[in-house]
C-alpha cells in the first residue's frame, strides 16, 4: 500500500435521498474541507436564519446553491488513513441519468443511496441496473435518513431484502447494506449511538474495504492513446505516446502493440515533466491509473484512439461489430439507419444500431422481444456496428476498455458495455494484417525522412470504372504527369498481378477474377502497401470496384491516403469516389484536377 493510492467512487441515488448530506459528512468528519469552510457555512446559515445542513458544504464547494439541483457529475476529494478518494457525485434526477452514466463510467466502485422513509424507488432500480451495465461490481447500499424512521431495524431490513432481491435478479451483490443518518452522522464516518442493533461497517469502513485497481496489476496492460507529441526544435526528434494506463503495467524494454492496426515497437523511455535531475530519477515503468508518456525504439504511425497493449499479453478484440447492453437516454429513440458517434476510451468512431434483440424495463425487468428501436430510458441488448475497426475488451474481462457512450447530435445519449465481439466482412483480412504488422521488418528510414526527400506523402490513387472506360489511359497519363514533375510515382494495373503474384489462383479456363476476387484484391492491396511504405504515390486501375472492395483495400493499406477516381459517364457501382472523370473530358484536364486534389490533401508538397 502506498500513500498515493487513489480510488474513484461514484455516489448515486434518487433525487433528495441524501447523497449531498452524506458527502458533506464524509468531508467534514475526515477533515477534508478547506480550512474555515465549515465555520463559513455555519455563519452563513446563522445570518440567513437557515438551519445548517451538511449538504450545504457540497453545494458551496460546487457553487451550485442557486440552481438547487446538482446538474453535473462533480468531483469531490477526501482521504482516509488507507487511501485518497475521488467521489463522483452523479445527479439523481431522471433527467440527468446521462450525467450519472458519464460519472459512473470513470468509477471503480459505487455508493448507492436509498431513502429509508421513501424506500426503493424506480430510479433506485435504474441506478443499480446501470451500475451493473457499466461493469461496476463493487457497490455498498446506504439506507439513509434512518432518523426519519426512528432508526427502525425493521424498516432497514425491509429495504435491504427488497433491494438485495433486485440486485440478485441482475447478477449483482452489494458488499454491504449500511443504515445511515447523514443528518445526525450515524454510521457515516463514526458508528454513533442510535443503532446499537447494527454490527456492520460504517460508510468509511465500506469504502476502505473496496478493492483498488492497484491490486489488479496482473491484468493485461491497456492504455488508450490520448495524443502523440512530436518535437523538432534544437535537434529534439522525440515522439511521445501519451495516455493514462487503464490496467496492467508497462516497462522500458517491453514490446507494445497498437490496435486496431497491430503495429508494434519497443518502449525506449518514459518521459517526465519536469525532467528528472539524474538518470536514477527517471521513470522505468507505468502502472494502472497513472498518466504515462513514452518514446519508441522504432517510429511507427500511431494516432489518438489507438489502444496500446503489451505484445506478451492477451490482445484485445478488433471488429466493427459487437453485441452490447445499452441504456438509452436520448430524447429521440435510437434507431437502425441513423448515424451516431461511439466513444470508447479515447476512440471516437461513427456507429449505428444494427439490430435490437431485447428491450428491458430497467425498473421492472420486464422484457420485450423484436423491438425495432430503443426508446428513452430503455435498456436494450443490441448489436452496434461501427464505420471503422475498433479495439476493445469484453466488459467482464476488462471493464475500462469494454464500456462506451453513444453521442447523438453532440450530446451523450446512451452508454453500455460490450458483451461479445462479432465478426464482420473484413475480419479475415484484418487478422492477416495484424499478424503482418506484428511481424513486419521495418525499414531503418523513417516515413518522415522519405516524405522530406520526395516532397510528398505516400498515397494510393485508385482509378476505376467500366471495362470500356478510359481508366487505364487516365491512370497512365497521371503517372506520366507526376513523374514529369519529379514525383516518386508508379502505375500498377490489377491485371498485372493476375499472371504473376496470383498465378497460383489463376486456373486456366476459369473466371479467376470472379472466383477469387477477394483474394486477388487482398494481394493487390498488400503489394500497394509495400509501395506506400516505400513512400510512393501508387496509381492503380481496376474494373468496377465496389464499396466492399474499397473497404477491403483500405483495411490492408490502413492509414495511408486513398483517392478514388471514377472514369466514365455512368457510375455503375456503389463505391464512394472523390473525382469523376467523364469520357468527354480531355485527359490533361482530368489529370490537372486529380493533381490539384493531391496538393489540397497534402500528398504533393507545394514547391
Amino acid at each position: 500500500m502506498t500513500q498515493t493510492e487513489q480510488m474513484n467512487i461514484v455516489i448515486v441515488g434518487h433525487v433528495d435521498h441524501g447523497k449531498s448530506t452524506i458527502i458533506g459528512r464524509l468531508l467534514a468528519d475526515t477533515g477534508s474541507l478547506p480550512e474555515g469552510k465549515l465555520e463559513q457555512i455555519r455563519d452563513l446559515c446563522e445570518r440567513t436564519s437557515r438551519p445548517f445542513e451538511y449538504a450545504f458544504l457540497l453545494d458551496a464547494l460546487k457553487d451550485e446553491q442557486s440552481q438547487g439541483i446538482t446538474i453535473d457529475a462533480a468531483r469531490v476529494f477526501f482521504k482516509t488513513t488507507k487511501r485518497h478518494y475521488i467521489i463522483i457525485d452523479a445527479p439523481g434526477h431522471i433527467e440527468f441519468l446521462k450525467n450519472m452514466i458519464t460519472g459512473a463510467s470513470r468509477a471503480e466502485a459505487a455508493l448507492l443511496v436509498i431513502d429509508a422513509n421513501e424506500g426503493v424507488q424506480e430510479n433506485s432500480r435504474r441506478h443499480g441496473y446501470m451500475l451493473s451495465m457499466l461493469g461496476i461490481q463493487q457497490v455498498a447500499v446506504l439506507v439513509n435518513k434512518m432518523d426519519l424512521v426512528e432508526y427502525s431495524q425493521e424498516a432497514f431490513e425491509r429495504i435491504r431484502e427488497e433491494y438485495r432481491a433486485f440486485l440478485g435478479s441482475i447478477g449483482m451483490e452489494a458488499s454491504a447494506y449500511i443504515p445511515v443518518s447523514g443528518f445526525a452522522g450515524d454510521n457515516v464516518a463514526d458508528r454513533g449511538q442510535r443503532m446499537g442493533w447494527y454490527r456492520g461497517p460504517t460508510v468509511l469502513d465500506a469504502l476502505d474495504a473496496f478493492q483498488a485497481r492497484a491490486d489488479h496489476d496482473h491484468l493485461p496492460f491497456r492504455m488508450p492513446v490520448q495524443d502523440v507529441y512530436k518535437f523538432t526544435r534544437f535537434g529534439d526528434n522525440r515522439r511521445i505516446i501519451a495516455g493514462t494506463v487503464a490496467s496492467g503495467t508497462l516497462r522500458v524494454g517491453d514490446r507494445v502493440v497498437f490496435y486496431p492496426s497491430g503495429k508494434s515497437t519497443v518502449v525506449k523511455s518514459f518521459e517526465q515533466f519536469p525532467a528528472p535531475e539524474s538518470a536514477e530519477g527517471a521513470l522505468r515503468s507505468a502502472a494502472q491509473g497513472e498518466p504515462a508518456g513514452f518514446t519508441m525504439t522504432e517510429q511507427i504511425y500511431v494516432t489518438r484512439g489507438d489502444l496500446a497493449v503489451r505484445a506478451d499479453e492477451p490482445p484485445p478484440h478488433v471488429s466493427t461489430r459487437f453485441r452490447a447492453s445499452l441504456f438509452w437516454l436520448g430524447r429521440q429513440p435510437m434507431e437502425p439507419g441513423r448515424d451516431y458517434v461511439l466513444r470508447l476510451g479515447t476512440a471516437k468512431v461513427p456507429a449505428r444500431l444494427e439490430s435490437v434483440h431485447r428491450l428491458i424495463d430497467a425498473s421492472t425487468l420486464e422484457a420485450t422481444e423484436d423491438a425495432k428501436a430503443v426508446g428513452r430510458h430503455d435498456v436494450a441488448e443490441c448489436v452496434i456496428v461501427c464505420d471503422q475497426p475498433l479495439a476493445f475488451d469484453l466488459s467482464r474481462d476488462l471493464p475500462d476498455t469494454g464500456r462506451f457512450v453513444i453521442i447523438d447530435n453532440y450530446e451523450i445519449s446512451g452508454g453500455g458495455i460490450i458483451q461479445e465481439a462479432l465478426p464482420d466482412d473484413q475480419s479475415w483480412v484484418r487478422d492477416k494484417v495484424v499478424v503482418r504488422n506484428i511481424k513486419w521488418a521495418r525499414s531503418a528510414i523513417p516515413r518522415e525522412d522519405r516524405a522530406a526527400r520526395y516532397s510528398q506523402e505516400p498515397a494510393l490513387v485508385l482509378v476505376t470504372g467500366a471495362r470500356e472506360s478510359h481508366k487505364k489511359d487516365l491512370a497512365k497519363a497521371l503517372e506520366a504527369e507526376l513523374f514529369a514533375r519529379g514525383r516518386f510515382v508508379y502505375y500498377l494495373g490489377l491485371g498485372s498481378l493476375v499472371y504473376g503474384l496470383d498465378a497460383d489462383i489463376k486456373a486456366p479456363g476459369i473466371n479467376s477474377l470472379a472466383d477469387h476476387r477477394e483474394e486477388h484484391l487482398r494481394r493487390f492491396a498488400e503489394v500497394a502497401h509495400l509501395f506506400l511504405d516505400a513512400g510512393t504515390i501508387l496509381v492503380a486501375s481496376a474494373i468496377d470496384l465496389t464499396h466492399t472492395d474499397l473497404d477491403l483495400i483500405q483495411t490492408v493499406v490502413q492509414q495511408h491516403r486513398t483517392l478514388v477516381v471514377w472514369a466514365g459517364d455512368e457510375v455503375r457501382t456503389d463505391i464512394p469516389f472523390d473525382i469523376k472523370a467523364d469520357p468527354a473530358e480531355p485527359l490533361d484536364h482530368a489529370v490537372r484536377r486529380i493533381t490539384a486534389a493531391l496538393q489540397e490533401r497534402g500528398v504533393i508538397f507545394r514547391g
Side-chain angles (χ1 to χ4, degrees):
M1 196 66 59
T2 68
Q3 291 298 320
T4 57
E5 182 178 290
Q6 180 176 295
M7 176 179 281
N8 291 337
I9 303 288
V10 65
I11 183 166
V12 300
H14 189 61
V15 65
D16 291 335
H17 276 201
K19 292 186 292 93
S20 296
T21 301
I22 290 172
I23 295 174
R25 272 285 181 183
L26 284 171
L27 293 175
D29 293 353
T30 58
S32 302
L33 288 168
E35 186 176 352
K37 178 60 68 176
L38 182 62
E39 294 73 18
Q40 177 188 343
I41 301 302
R42 287 188 188 280
D43 291 344
L44 178 65
C45 289
E46 284 186 13
R47 291 198 304 273
T48 55
S49 301
R50 301 172 64 190
F52 171 79
E53 293 184 21
Y54 279 90
F56 294 162
L57 291 167
L58 188 63
D59 289 339
L61 291 176
K62 292 188 291 190
D63 194 26
E64 292 178 0
Q65 284 173 301
S66 61
Q67 300 182 44
I69 186 169
T70 305
I71 60 171
D72 198 359
R75 300 195 305 166
V76 180
F77 303 86
F78 78 100
K79 61 183 179 181
T80 67
T81 55
K82 182 173 184 177
R83 61 167 74 103
H84 293 217
Y85 290 95
I86 299 174
I87 288 191
I88 305 166
D89 181 19
H93 195 281
I94 195 168
E95 296 299 319
F96 301 120
L97 283 176
K98 64 182 179 183
N99 300 73
M100 182 258 167
I101 284 183
T102 304
S105 66
R106 302 194 296 266
E108 303 162 57
L111 298 175
L112 192 150
V113 181
I114 298 175
D115 188 319
N117 197 36
E118 294 188 4
V120 176
Q121 299 293 301
E122 188 177 83
N123 252 6
S124 308
R125 298 188 185 92
R126 281 201 176 98
H127 286 147
Y129 204 99
M130 285 189 286
L131 292 176
S132 169
M133 285 182 49
L134 292 169
I136 299 174
Q137 291 296 322
Q138 299 187 99
V139 180
V141 178
L142 315 183
V143 181
N144 189 29
K145 302 188 182 181
M146 289 298 294
D147 49 295
L148 297 184
V149 295
E150 299 179 346
Y151 303 99
S152 165
Q153 182 177 3
E154 182 182 356
F156 169 73
E157 296 290 353
R158 185 170 57 250
I159 291 172
R160 178 169 67 170
E161 291 310 309
E162 180 181 351
Y163 206 70
R164 174 184 286 167
F166 172 77
L167 290 184
S169 68
I170 58 174
M172 287 186 72
E173 182 178 359
S175 61
Y177 288 83
I178 308 172
V180 167
S181 172
F183 175 77
D186 296 281
N187 293 335
V188 180
D190 302 309
R191 185 160 298 279
Q193 303 298 319
R194 288 172 280 262
M195 287 179 277
W197 48 266
Y198 176 71
R199 297 288 188 271
T202 64
V203 176
L204 274 189
D205 293 336
L207 287 171
D208 282 348
F210 286 144
Q211 190 176 31
R213 286 178 181 168
D215 296 333
H216 296 284
D217 284 347
H218 62 283
L219 292 176
F221 171 75
R222 298 288 190 264
M223 189 188 87
V225 174
Q226 182 76 29
D227 211 337
V228 180
Y229 298 102
K230 301 175 184 176
F231 299 84
T232 56
R233 301 184 65 184
F234 309 119
D236 185 351
N237 60 357
R238 289 176 301 164
R239 296 180 69 204
I240 299 175
I241 312 299
T244 298
V245 179
S247 62
T249 303
L250 186 70
R251 299 178 178 83
V252 171
D254 283 341
R255 176 160 287 278
V256 61
V257 184
F258 296 88
Y259 289 92
S261 70
K263 293 184 177 179
S264 70
T265 185
V266 173
V267 178
K268 181 179 181 182
S269 66
F270 285 93
E271 300 297 313
Q272 300 164 258
F273 182 82
E277 295 181 355
S278 64
E280 289 73 22
L283 288 175
R284 300 290 298 173
S285 66
Q288 186 275 322
E290 296 176 355
F294 61 85
T295 62
M296 307 174 286
T297 57
E298 300 169 283
Q299 299 305 322
I300 59 175
Y301 184 76
V302 178
T303 186
R304 176 184 169 87
D306 285 356
L307 185 63
V309 175
R310 263 173 48 183
D312 61 342
E313 294 183 331
H317 298 273
V318 176
S319 183
T320 59
R321 297 173 69 238
F322 56 79
R323 183 174 62 83
S325 295
L326 176 140
F327 194 94
W328 188 249
L329 304 163
R331 295 183 183 278
Q332 300 296 321
M334 188 180 189
E335 300 172 317
R338 283 194 61 195
D339 293 328
Y340 302 93
V341 173
L342 182 145
R343 189 174 73 198
L344 192 159
T346 55
K348 290 176 71 175
V349 298
R352 291 178 301 284
L353 177 66
E354 181 179 290
S355 60
V356 181
H357 292 178
R358 201 161 61 134
L359 278 186
I360 303 164
D361 187 315
S363 59
T364 65
L365 300 185
E366 292 179 355
T368 303
E369 308 289 342
D370 301 325
K372 304 300 181 188
V374 186
R376 196 176 198 195
H377 301 142
D378 281 344
V379 176
E381 293 180 5
C382 58
V383 174
I384 304 289
V385 59
C386 304
D387 281 0
Q388 59 195 67
L390 194 67
F392 56 83
D393 291 289
L394 305 188
S395 175
R396 61 177 175 272
D397 298 331
L398 289 167
D400 277 356
T401 45
R403 53 193 180 195
F404 61 89
V405 297
I406 298 286
I407 300 169
D408 184 21
N409 288 327
Y410 306 101
E411 289 190 353
I412 293 176
S413 297
I417 58 173
I418 299 176
Q419 304 282 18
E420 180 185 8
L422 299 174
D424 58 35
D425 291 342
Q426 308 301 333
S427 293
W428 68 280
V429 180
R430 194 177 305 113
D431 291 345
K432 293 178 185 296
V433 170
V434 167
V435 173
R436 176 200 74 190
N437 286 344
I438 292 174
K439 302 294 185 183
W440 189 260
R442 207 168 308 284
S443 166
I445 302 171
R447 172 175 171 160
E448 291 82 358
D449 290 359
R450 293 183 189 275
R453 168 69 64 87
Y454 305 137
S455 294
Q456 66 183 47
E457 287 284 354
L460 174 62
V461 182
L462 279 173
V463 185
T464 187
R467 182 179 297 277
E468 64 277 9
S469 70
H470 61 309
K471 59 184 180 302
K472 287 185 180 177
D473 296 335
L474 178 58
K476 292 178 180 178
L478 176 63
E479 180 198 31
E481 172 64 20
L482 292 175
F483 185 76
R485 295 186 181 204
R487 304 302 179 180
F488 186 28
V489 60
Y490 187 77
Y491 166 74
L492 176 67
L494 180 58
S496 301
L497 301 178
V498 171
Y499 295 94
L501 184 66
D502 294 350
D504 59 324
I505 57 174
K506 171 66 175 130
I510 296 177
N511 187 353
S512 175
L513 279 177
D515 294 344
H516 302 284
R517 184 177 181 83
E518 288 186 338
E519 181 58 17
H520 279 301
L521 287 173
R522 187 192 71 80
R523 295 187 185 192
F524 163 76
E526 284 290 355
V527 172
H529 179 263
L530 286 169
F531 275 94
L532 297 171
D533 194 56
T536 311
I537 296 174
L538 184 65
V539 183
S541 63
I543 299 171
D544 287 345
L545 291 177
T546 66
H547 197 310
T548 301
D549 297 336
L550 181 61
D551 284 347
L552 191 157
I553 293 169
Q554 290 182 319
T555 297
V556 176
V557 302
Q558 297 190 318
Q559 294 97 345
H560 291 293
R561 291 181 173 88
T562 303
L563 185 81
V564 178
V565 179
W566 183 270
D569 53 358
E570 180 187 1
V571 181
R572 308 193 325 175
T573 76
D574 62 348
I575 191 170
F577 56 86
D578 302 285
I579 293 174
K580 181 170 177 289
D582 293 325
E585 181 181 13
L587 279 183
D588 60 342
H589 188 269
V591 166
R592 283 199 298 273
R593 287 202 294 132
I594 299 170
T595 304
L598 292 174
Q599 277 191 330
E600 290 173 1
R601 298 180 182 208
V603 173
I604 299 175
F605 303 164
R606 295 180 187 276

